[in-house]
Amino acid sequence: MKEYEKILEDIRPFGPFQIRVFLLVSMFETPLAWAMLLPMFTSAKPEELCIVHENNNTTGSKQDECWDKGANGSSCHFSNSFTSIVTEWGLHCSSNRDVPNHITSMQMAGVLVGAVVTGQLADLFGRKKVLYAEYLLLLITWFGSAFAPTWQVYATMRVLVGALTGGCLVVNFVLPLEFVTPSWRTFCGCIGLWAVGLITLAGWAYVLRDWRHLTMATAAAGVPMLFTWWFVAESPRWLISRGRLGKAKKILRAAAKTNNRPVPDFTELERVVEETQHKKQEQKKYFYWHLFSSCRLVRGTFILMYAWFVSSAVYYGMNFNVANLAGDRYLNALVSGLVEIPALILVVCVNNRWGRRKTVACLMLVAGLFSFSILIIDMTDNMEKQNVLVVVFAMIGKFGISGGWAATQVFSAETFPTVIRNIGIGACSMAARVGGIAAPQLVLLGKDSKAVPFTVFGVLAIVCALLMVFLPETTHTPLSDLLKYDTSVYLTEQSVDVPLTPTQTSVESEETQPSEDLQPLAGTERETCAGESGVGKIVT
């Protein structure tokens, strides 16, 4: 809505008010990263120290594989370097060996459900209420998981933790973007404190070697975020889309005062909202199927969901695969988090200059090529002889996928209209969580060859990079607010999305008239649904 963004320009597009909202909401990312990535340490397997009695001689050795205790006069126990659910419940032999990875996949399945449900809830009840309610439930469930008596109970708790974490992440991403103008979208969409969460998690795990203590401490450390409720405002853009103009004006006046700017003129905004309400024929509700209500939306949504799937599968796969890299697990986790910071800074610096699709394509290509190169190292020389090179390539790949996912998220938010933005981000997040579910299983492929997971990561990222070439550009275009349908889409290249199904939905919106701002999905190059060699467009 251009009138709304004009008001943001008048009160400062990224003044103290927006900075406060951005920082406070971004701070949620640190505890959310702890909750999501905790299995890197709580599901880890320490080395086994086995004592073998042969001819009255006792020898000791460290083993990575499970020994059958009691066989050949041997006795085994874990080293006391740390505890985990593996040591707690003996999840290291025979049929239980893969349980920790399966629990992590179940957690990521929970994230998927949370993303789907929360996308709808946030569009119905508002961004702020849903974020804080789900975060409170997350802290309770997260802390309670430290007291699980069996691995089955623990797995159930991790599913709930995953669902609530996934829900919080959906709103956490969208809320700050609805307070700023297009020139600040890249910054707000890319810069966050998730990497800080990964870095500090390595520190938590290094200090607290008992998995129960680690779980309780990280959950308790997230409690202070609840007190930011009184300093974070609801999204005025969402309020306007719901017809609550009075509440939106109150927030915008407070923003103007905080930013030391005069109260903006709401005349044009009021006129547009009033005209929209007069012209509306029925109260709109939006469901997930509206993401597929036109040829262009179908194409864009599918490619976008694939991009998020790849981003998640490769990103979490690389995180969970840290245990299979040579060297100290805590140092590797620390470096894995550190490389994300320059990746995000790079995206901020080049995303507006290069454009969204070129930025995403280049970073995905970096992730894919360096990950795939580990297979070449394994084929030409034993990976164990090139441990340092493998770790370096893995970290460069992590750099690429971290930046690529951040740029992809910005691209996505610029594509979906306000009335279905949370639904769209929720659907993409759902696809990402399918990738997250697959990530621990991809790591399991490294049991026979440690190069296999990196090979899969490389192929997925390279294909994603190639698909990005066919996407439209959204840089410097206003955020869209409404769906726009044009039944002449097949008659002229100047038209946009033609509906495939009637528009009935579930999220109420007071706006029903078409808006020229849908163009971000169509991009700056308008064409028919059959254009661009049939390759769908995607957001992010």
Side-chain angles (χ1 to χ4, degrees):
M1 181 180 291
K2 293 180 180 179
E3 293 77 13
Y4 173 74
E5 291 180 355
K6 173 63 168 57
I7 289 175
L8 293 182
E9 288 286 355
D10 292 340
I11 66 174
R12 294 179 66 177
F14 197 60
F17 184 88
Q18 290 96 328
I19 292 174
R20 184 183 71 195
V21 172
F22 168 71
L23 289 177
L24 292 178
V25 174
S26 295
M27 286 171 62
F28 279 91
E29 295 178 20
T30 295
L32 291 176
W34 296 342
M36 183 83 83
L37 301 176
L38 206 58
M40 290 175 61
F41 301 101
T42 58
S43 296
K45 175 178 173 289
E47 292 179 323
E48 292 179 24
L49 179 63
C50 296
I51 307 300
V52 184
H53 304 280
E54 296 179 348
N55 300 324
N56 296 323
N57 293 322
T58 301
T59 60
S61 63
K62 289 184 177 180
Q63 300 290 334
D64 290 326
E65 300 298 328
C66 173
W67 284 32
D68 292 327
K69 297 174 175 54
N72 300 322
S74 65
S75 61
C76 300
H77 62 86
F78 290 108
S79 66
N80 60 2
S81 57
F82 65 89
T83 69
S84 67
I85 63 172
V86 176
T87 63
E88 178 89 12
W89 293 305
L91 306 178
H92 63 294
C93 291
S94 61
S95 61
N96 287 335
R97 184 185 299 275
D98 296 337
V99 166
N101 291 79
H102 295 332
I103 291 177
T104 304
S105 287
M106 292 170 64
Q107 168 194 301
M108 302 308 290
V111 178
L112 184 156
V113 174
V116 173
V117 173
T118 301
Q120 197 81 64
L121 291 177
D123 280 339
L124 278 169
F125 302 110
R127 302 0 181 174
K128 179 181 174 180
K129 290 180 181 178
V130 172
L131 173 62
Y132 281 87
E134 291 194 351
Y135 184 72
L136 174 60
L137 293 175
L138 168 63
L139 292 178
I140 296 172
T141 307
W142 180 3
F143 190 86
S145 68
F147 301 94
T150 65
W151 70 261
Q152 291 89 345
V153 173
Y154 177 78
T156 302
M157 300 290 280
R158 289 305 300 178
V159 171
L160 295 175
V161 167
L164 294 167
T165 301
C168 290
L169 286 172
V170 170
V171 187
N172 168 270
F173 175 71
V174 171
L175 181 56
L177 292 182
E178 296 188 334
F179 279 91
V180 300
T181 57
S183 60
W184 285 98
R185 286 184 215 149
T186 295
F187 180 86
C188 293
C190 295
I191 297 299
L193 299 178
W194 179 272
V196 174
L198 177 54
I199 293 168
T200 52
L201 179 61
W204 278 110
Y206 182 80
V207 174
L208 299 173
R209 301 296 181 96
D210 182 274
W211 76 271
R212 292 185 186 272
H213 295 163
L214 176 61
T215 301
M216 288 187 286
T218 50
V223 171
M225 287 307 306
L226 292 172
F227 298 100
T228 63
W229 166 272
W230 290 275
F231 305 98
V232 175
E234 181 57 270
S235 165
R237 184 182 285 271
W238 175 81
L239 290 169
I240 292 171
S241 73
R242 295 277 292 181
R244 298 168 62 181
L245 184 58
K247 183 65 179 294
K249 288 165 61 176
K250 181 178 179 181
I251 293 174
L252 291 171
R253 289 192 187 98
K257 181 179 180 180
T258 303
N259 293 346
N260 196 26
R261 287 290 188 271
V263 175
D265 182 5
F266 295 107
T267 304
E268 282 300 309
L269 182 62
E270 292 171 342
R271 181 185 61 78
V272 171
V273 172
E274 184 177 356
E275 288 179 356
T276 300
Q277 291 177 340
H278 282 312
K279 293 178 182 178
K280 76 173 185 177
Q281 298 176 354
E282 61 177 4
Q283 199 172 43
K284 290 291 183 181
K285 298 180 180 180
Y286 293 91
F287 285 109
Y288 280 95
W289 62 66
H290 281 81
L291 296 173
F292 309 97
S293 59
S294 73
C295 293
R296 180 165 283 113
L297 280 170
V298 167
R299 296 189 313 172
T301 300
F302 274 127
I303 299 178
L304 179 101
M305 291 174 69
Y306 173 75
W308 281 63
F309 168 84
V310 171
S311 298
S312 181
V314 177
Y315 177 85
Y316 287 110
M318 287 185 171
N319 277 324
F320 297 137
N321 201 40
V322 163
N324 294 329
L325 295 175
D328 183 82
R329 72 175 68 243
Y330 303 102
L331 179 60
N332 287 341
L334 176 65
V335 175
S336 180
L338 286 174
V339 298
E340 294 187 24
I341 297 176
L344 298 180
I345 294 175
L346 176 65
V347 173
V348 171
C349 293
V350 305
N351 208 20
N352 287 333
R353 189 174 306 169
W354 292 359
R356 309 311 192 218
R357 60 181 177 183
K358 185 181 292 186
T359 300
V360 174
C362 289
L363 288 169
M364 287 291 182
L365 199 59
V366 168
L369 291 178
F370 278 91
S371 297
F372 193 82
S373 295
I374 294 177
L375 172 64
I376 300 176
I377 295 175
D378 188 49
M379 294 174 62
T380 57
D381 197 356
N382 193 308
M383 283 181 60
E384 296 180 358
K385 297 179 182 179
Q386 299 290 342
N387 282 333
V388 175
L389 186 60
V390 169
V391 172
V392 170
F393 275 28
M395 294 306 164
I396 295 177
K398 179 69 183 303
F399 169 92
I401 199 64
S402 299
W405 197 356
T408 295
Q409 290 174 332
V410 174
F411 199 179
S412 301
E414 291 180 341
T415 301
F416 293 112
T418 299
V419 292
I420 59 169
R421 183 167 297 122
N422 255 297
I423 294 177
I425 296 297
C428 292
S429 184
M430 177 179 65
R433 301 322 159 196
V434 174
I437 294 170
Q441 306 308 312
L442 296 178
V443 172
L444 281 177
L445 297 176
K447 289 191 297 185
D448 297 324
S449 173
K450 292 184 178 181
V452 174
F454 292 106
T455 305
V456 177
F457 299 156
V459 172
L460 289 173
I462 290 172
V463 171
C464 184
L466 295 176
L467 286 176
M468 287 295 157
V469 175
F470 300 98
L471 301 183
E473 188 54 72
T474 63
T475 308
H476 303 308
T477 60
L479 285 176
S480 57
D481 288 300
L482 296 168
L483 296 175
K484 179 176 181 178
Y485 302 128
D486 187 342
T487 56
S488 64
V489 68
Y490 293 106
L491 303 179
T492 173
E493 293 187 356
Q494 297 300 313
S495 55
V496 294
D497 305 316
V498 64
L500 298 179
T501 58
T503 56
Q504 292 282 351
T505 46
S506 137
V507 178
E508 287 189 29
S509 170
E510 298 300 324
E511 305 172 337
T512 59
Q513 292 303 307
S515 167
E516 60 192 8
D517 293 323
L518 178 64
Q519 294 179 15
L521 181 58
T524 56
E525 313 154 25
R526 299 194 179 199
E527 68 276 299
T528 64
C529 244
E532 291 204 4
S533 304
V535 179
K537 302 189 177 181
I538 206 162
V539 193
T540 118

